[in-house]
Amino acid sequence: MKKSLIALASLSACLTLSAHAQEAITVVNFGGANANAQKVAYYEPIAKEGIKVTAVEYNGEQAKIKAMVDTKNVTWDVVEVESPDVARGCDEGLFEKLDYSRIAPKADLLPSAVSECGVGVFVWSTVMAYNGDKLKTAPTSWADFFDTKKIPGKRGMRKGARYNLEFALLADGVKPADVYKVLATKDGAERAFKKLTELKPSIQWWEAGAQAPQFLVAGDVVLSTVYNGRVDAANREGRNLQIYWPGGIYDLDYWVIPKGTAKKDAAYKFIAYASKPENQAVYAQNIAYGPTNKKALAKLDKKVLDNLPTSDKNAKDSLQFNTTFWADQGEALEKRFAAWATQ
Amino acid sequence: MPMPTSANPPLGDLRAALARAQSRRKWRAFTLTVPLLVFLLLTLLVPIAALLMRAVENPEVAKALPTTVKALATWDRQSQPDAGAYAALVKDLSHLPDTSDAGALARRLNTEAPGARSLIMGAYRALPIEGDAEAVRQQLLDKDPRWAETEFWQAIAKNGSRWTPDYLLASVDLRRDAQGDIARMPEEQRAYGGILLRTFQVSLIITVMCLLLAYPLAYWLSTLPERQANLLMIVVLVPFWTSILVRVAAWIVLLQSEGLINTALIDIGVISKPLELLFNRTGVIISMTHILLPFMILPLYSVMKSVPPTYVRAAVSLGSAPLAAFARVYVPQTLPGVGAGALLVFILSIGYYITPALLGGADDQMLSYYIARYTNVEVNWGMACALGALLLATTMLLYGVYRRLGKTDLALA
């Protein structure tokens, strides 16, 4: 009797052990250069700690998460989402409320990286960039971006209202600190669209982050708005793309856990692992996006720091993406953008 | 009295037996089609019905704010609502079982009145708010002065019922104003009329291009001997079987400013500056014409195959000029194929999504792009379904017009 109990106990111990050894979770990201950096910094090393990560790429479509949660068939365990969707999904009960004691001390993280349902993954920025090999006169302001006489040629911009309205106001002489105040008024939105209309014939729209550096390299556009990490990735491949930092709009991406996943514990372990300073430092060395754990900065050398949107030099005169504003006004402004594009 | 034997039954019995046998056979045939019927029902009718339902469903406000809706029933929708409405709102919010209902409510109201999301969530987070009606009103106003604006209250009052025409109205640039009367959208918010028109324009151009390219090709194919025709048909069909994404990517390679077409044209000296062929209407039309061409060639070819060549020969031998014979004898006989091909290409292109999304600019996006956007990005499924219903209705209408004009069914073979 006793023997069989021991056998049973050891058997169950074996089972739990092997279950631990084979924990596998699905982590969803935005793909591209960012996914490669995450693979090196997080997905591969965490396998040694007993968590096997299957990486899936998506384009930020919240519909898939909503469908999974609604049908209680959640197959994504950790998802990287953009800031407006963190608050929106949290309000609508799509994500688990996070227990920070299982992730990292809140004091170590950037204040904006801590939210009810999401913890910051990295800081990125939408900036102006140009091809250093092709453009003779470098732009010195956002007004230059809209000035096709001074710098002739096409401009690359993200297809949609987001960022472009902010940049239009900057070009129209609004101070970075006042951009969202102005944009929130009816006249402000009017002013932004009017400024965009001036540039409209010269705009080439991009939709996926990887397109903008391609346009610049190919010479399709002379100036483009672009995610700063994509510029870094292109330069690592031997291009000479230059960034104009002032007026860049920085924002965070967040990890969330879709509500109802069966692998919540492993998901927490993954997020905790990806929030550790040493791992975030590895990430930042592989792509120029800023760590959300403040302690990671000490582990980076000057060359890496200079490229991050969080460095003092680059963050000066940049503005933080206003999540609340876009959560409230986004749908109306995007619809207006669609109407504007038709005209 | 002779008894009827089984070998020689009266006529009535025979008729009944025959009818029985026939109806048995009919039932057997029907049973064979049952799986298909069930399949069609499940995969076609049910989703379409669900889509139409979703386009008019409006449960969020009615479900989350029943007392507020009641309190606003007598409100004139112009002045500020009385304190009772504020108290009812707070009472309703505090009865919500969890955040997700508040989130759904906030999302719904935000589509009507931008800003409502933060307003509702702010009030929900500030709970509990206690005191008499007047005190509650004051606390809400202190929390956010926007509660004094009638716009948000109008949005609540308007959406008190479980069904709404709003999404469908919005899909044709109409809306209900504060009083519930139907009016046009404000100028800068009118989008879908223009987009629908653009969708039709692009589709029409593509249909005409396909017809111009496919007609001579199909004619040539139909005159060739079987073996050669089959060989060439494979050339037509191989791209047809290739993934659309691959073909779109190939067009990007060909059309870009340093792409094959531009460099070739510059090399032979036709142009000095690269043509803008990509990320605009030109790129969309070129690639969609290429992708949809087989849908025009196949029906045309099958109709042309069945036209006896003797008729044209007869017309010519009776003195008609060859071109006139072709136009007056041959072409009319191929019209069913032209109609079927044009209808097929047109209907397929009004629903196209991926090609304009990848090859077009911001002003080349067709209706499907916005359906996808509302489904995936905005997660406003009511609006997505309303736009889908609009697309469905126009397609049906077109088919109706086609049947009227052609007085035939769709003939594909």
Side-chain angles (χ1 to χ4, degrees):
Chain A
M1 182 71 192
K2 218 175 183 182
K3 238 183 194 168
S4 66
L5 254 180
I6 292 166
L8 199 70
S10 58
L11 185 71
S12 68
C14 277
L15 278 176
T16 46
L17 261 182
S18 66
H20 256 289
Q22 288 175 349
E23 248 175 338
I25 58 168
T26 304
V27 177
V28 184
N29 62 47
F30 284 94
N34 169 32
N36 294 338
Q38 288 188 13
K39 192 172 143 198
V40 177
Y42 310 136
Y43 307 162
E44 282 173 356
I46 202 176
K48 289 185 205 101
E49 314 229 331
I51 293 175
K52 194 179 159 293
V53 171
T54 310
V56 170
E57 292 180 11
Y58 84 138
N59 242 334
E61 302 95 343
Q62 296 302 297
K64 280 184 191 153
I65 303 178
K66 185 169 162 57
M68 280 185 196
V69 175
D70 283 356
T71 57
K72 297 198 167 47
N73 182 17
V74 180
T75 53
W76 287 358
D77 305 304
V78 177
V79 186
E80 177 188 341
V81 299
E82 291 185 318
S83 56
D85 294 324
V86 178
R88 208 154 73 169
C90 197
D91 289 347
E92 289 171 32
L94 298 184
F95 310 141
E96 297 281 353
K97 302 232 154 76
L98 295 179
D99 171 7
Y100 276 84
S101 67
R102 298 172 72 178
I103 297 170
K106 276 189 188 177
D108 288 359
L109 302 173
L110 294 176
S112 49
V114 178
S115 87
E116 203 179 359
C117 293
V119 55
V121 186
F122 59 84
V123 186
W124 54 284
S125 191
T126 309
V127 292
M128 187 200 306
Y130 56 95
N131 192 334
D133 293 338
K134 295 197 173 172
L135 192 65
K136 296 288 165 289
T137 43
T140 53
S141 69
W142 274 96
D144 287 357
F145 190 90
F146 282 73
D147 190 346
T148 46
K149 281 201 196 77
K150 188 175 168 195
I151 303 174
K154 289 223 152 213
R155 311 295 203 250
M157 289 182 118
R158 185 181 162 276
K159 199 192 283 172
R162 229 191 252 183
Y163 314 126
N164 296 335
L165 296 179
E166 287 99 318
F167 292 142
L169 286 182
L170 285 176
D172 211 24
V174 178
K175 280 201 248 30
D178 297 334
V179 163
Y180 285 106
K181 230 187 298 165
V182 174
L183 197 55
T185 63
K186 203 161 185 282
D187 292 344
E190 203 69 47
R191 190 172 158 190
F193 273 106
K194 214 173 133 217
K195 188 73 188 171
L196 271 184
T197 311
E198 285 174 23
L199 194 64
K200 199 174 175 188
S202 306
I203 300 175
Q204 179 161 318
W205 303 100
W206 54 266
E207 204 156 17
Q211 281 177 301
Q214 277 164 21
F215 290 174
L216 283 170
V217 168
D220 287 335
V221 301
V222 288
L223 294 173
S224 184
T225 64
V226 59
Y227 302 140
N228 78 292
R230 306 281 181 171
V231 172
D232 179 62
N235 287 344
R236 278 167 202 259
E237 287 169 12
R239 312 290 181 191
N240 178 23
L241 301 186
Q242 300 290 326
I243 291 178
Y244 175 78
W245 284 99
I249 300 172
Y250 71 92
D251 194 9
L252 277 75
D253 272 14
Y254 294 82
W255 294 124
V256 299
I257 305 177
K259 190 175 263 180
T261 167
K263 295 169 184 162
K264 206 162 134 185
D265 288 331
Y268 263 113
K269 270 183 218 152
F270 173 81
I271 294 178
Y273 188 84
S275 301
K276 279 189 187 149
E278 57 271 25
N279 299 329
Q280 289 208 342
V282 175
Y283 173 77
Q285 279 158 4
N286 280 285
I287 190 165
Y289 287 137
T292 53
N293 192 320
K294 287 181 273 185
K295 287 186 171 163
L297 294 173
K299 299 178 190 299
L300 295 169
D301 55 29
K302 192 175 170 304
K303 214 176 131 252
V304 175
L305 284 172
D306 277 352
N307 263 327
L308 300 181
T310 38
S311 77
D312 290 339
K313 180 173 67 83
N314 297 338
K316 200 163 73 74
D317 298 324
S318 66
L319 57 158
Q320 184 173 5
F321 182 74
N322 189 329
T323 316
T324 336
F325 173 82
W326 281 100
D328 274 352
Q329 306 291 333
E331 198 177 332
L333 286 176
E334 292 294 352
K335 192 175 166 211
R336 181 159 177 194
F337 176 85
W340 171 83
T342 314
Q343 284 155 16
Chain B
M1 186 190 212
M3 292 283 285
T5 60
S6 60
N8 192 13
L11 219 52
D13 275 7
L14 191 62
R15 211 173 276 146
L18 185 66
R20 258 202 313 279
Q22 259 171 357
S23 92
R24 233 191 342 261
R25 199 172 310 145
K26 233 183 264 168
W27 273 107
R28 207 175 300 142
F30 178 72
T31 351
L32 284 176
T33 62
V34 161
L36 179 69
L37 270 180
V38 172
F39 180 75
L40 276 181
L41 206 68
L42 288 180
T43 56
L44 190 73
L45 294 180
V46 171
I48 287 179
L51 175 132
L52 293 176
M53 279 268 285
R54 261 232 152 86
V56 292
E57 233 171 11
N58 187 33
E60 294 90 351
V61 177
K63 199 173 127 202
L65 304 176
T67 27
T68 317
V69 170
K70 222 176 278 164
L72 288 175
T74 53
W75 174 48
D76 65 0
R77 300 195 183 185
Q78 296 291 331
S79 53
Q80 219 190 89
D82 58 17
Y86 287 82
L89 180 87
V90 166
K91 193 176 143 224
D92 279 335
L93 285 181
S94 60
H95 280 119
L96 290 181
D98 58 42
T99 13
S100 58
D101 292 291
L105 173 74
R107 177 194 286 280
R108 177 69 189 99
L109 289 177
N110 202 63
T111 61
E112 292 276 322
R117 183 191 302 278
S118 60
L119 200 63
I120 293 284
M121 290 317 291
Y124 184 75
R125 294 227 167 80
L127 292 175
I129 298 171
E130 277 154 3
D132 61 2
E134 192 49 47
V136 165
R137 191 175 88 99
Q138 204 48 52
Q139 283 179 65
L140 274 180
L141 286 174
D142 289 344
K143 176 103 191 70
D144 198 324
R146 285 182 299 162
W147 279 116
E149 287 168 25
T150 46
E151 190 195 355
F152 300 110
W153 294 101
Q154 285 164 352
I156 296 175
K158 236 171 70 182
N159 290 296
S161 101
R162 284 188 169 269
W163 306 98
T164 181
D166 283 354
Y167 294 124
L168 288 172
L169 288 174
S171 74
V172 287
D173 288 341
L174 295 173
R175 62 167 187 172
R176 285 187 300 159
D177 61 15
Q179 300 301 323
D181 299 324
I182 290 169
R184 292 194 72 184
M185 284 273 185
E187 182 85 43
E188 78 273 2
Q189 292 282 342
R190 274 177 224 159
Y192 302 117
I195 290 163
L196 191 65
L197 199 69
R198 175 202 301 164
T199 309
F200 279 141
Q201 272 172 357
V202 172
S203 305
L204 198 68
I205 295 172
I206 288 162
T207 311
V208 171
M209 298 275 290
C210 279
L211 187 61
L212 289 180
L213 290 172
Y215 199 91
L217 179 68
Y219 175 69
W220 183 53
L221 279 176
S222 71
T223 57
L224 285 176
E226 191 91 3
R227 280 177 63 112
Q228 285 173 42
N230 283 344
L231 201 70
L232 283 169
M233 197 45 106
I234 289 173
V235 178
V236 171
L237 287 176
V238 166
F240 181 58
W241 291 327
T242 316
S243 151
I244 282 190
L245 272 177
V246 173
R247 281 185 281 167
V248 169
W251 277 114
I252 294 180
V253 173
L254 287 174
L255 296 176
Q256 64 191 342
S257 58
E258 289 174 15
L260 234 71
I261 293 178
N262 269 318
T263 36
L265 286 177
I266 289 174
D267 284 351
I268 57 171
V270 181
I271 48 170
S272 57
K273 231 174 67 185
L275 297 172
E276 282 181 22
L277 299 171
L278 202 55
F279 307 118
N280 55 21
R281 195 67 52 94
T282 322
V284 174
I285 287 171
I286 291 176
S287 63
M288 275 182 69
T289 304
H290 168 245
I291 287 166
L292 292 172
L293 203 54
F295 292 97
M296 187 67 96
I297 295 175
L298 293 175
L300 275 178
Y301 174 72
S302 70
V303 169
M304 285 173 174
K305 262 319 242 194
S306 65
V307 174
T310 43
Y311 290 3
V312 178
R313 258 183 264 142
V316 173
S317 76
L318 288 172
S320 165
L323 263 181
F326 184 79
R328 292 171 62 187
V329 177
Y330 187 76
V331 173
Q333 294 184 79
T334 60
L335 281 185
V338 173
L343 189 73
L344 208 59
V345 170
F346 191 83
I347 286 179
L348 279 173
S349 44
I350 57 175
Y352 244 58
Y353 162 65
I354 194 86
T355 318
L358 289 173
L359 294 175
D363 55 348
D364 302 313
Q365 300 310 318
M366 314 226 278
L367 204 56
S368 317
Y369 176 84
Y370 295 93
I371 297 178
R373 196 186 158 82
Y374 273 114
T375 312
N376 292 323
V377 183
E378 312 277 359
V379 203
N380 180 350
W381 290 347
M383 198 62 222
C385 288
L387 289 176
L390 180 68
L391 202 55
L392 183 71
T394 43
T395 310
M396 307 265 276
L397 199 73
L398 274 172
Y399 181 59
V401 169
Y402 167 77
R403 281 195 62 167
R404 247 298 147 77
L405 291 180
K407 294 199 175 62
T408 50
D409 278 321
L410 193 58
L412 289 181

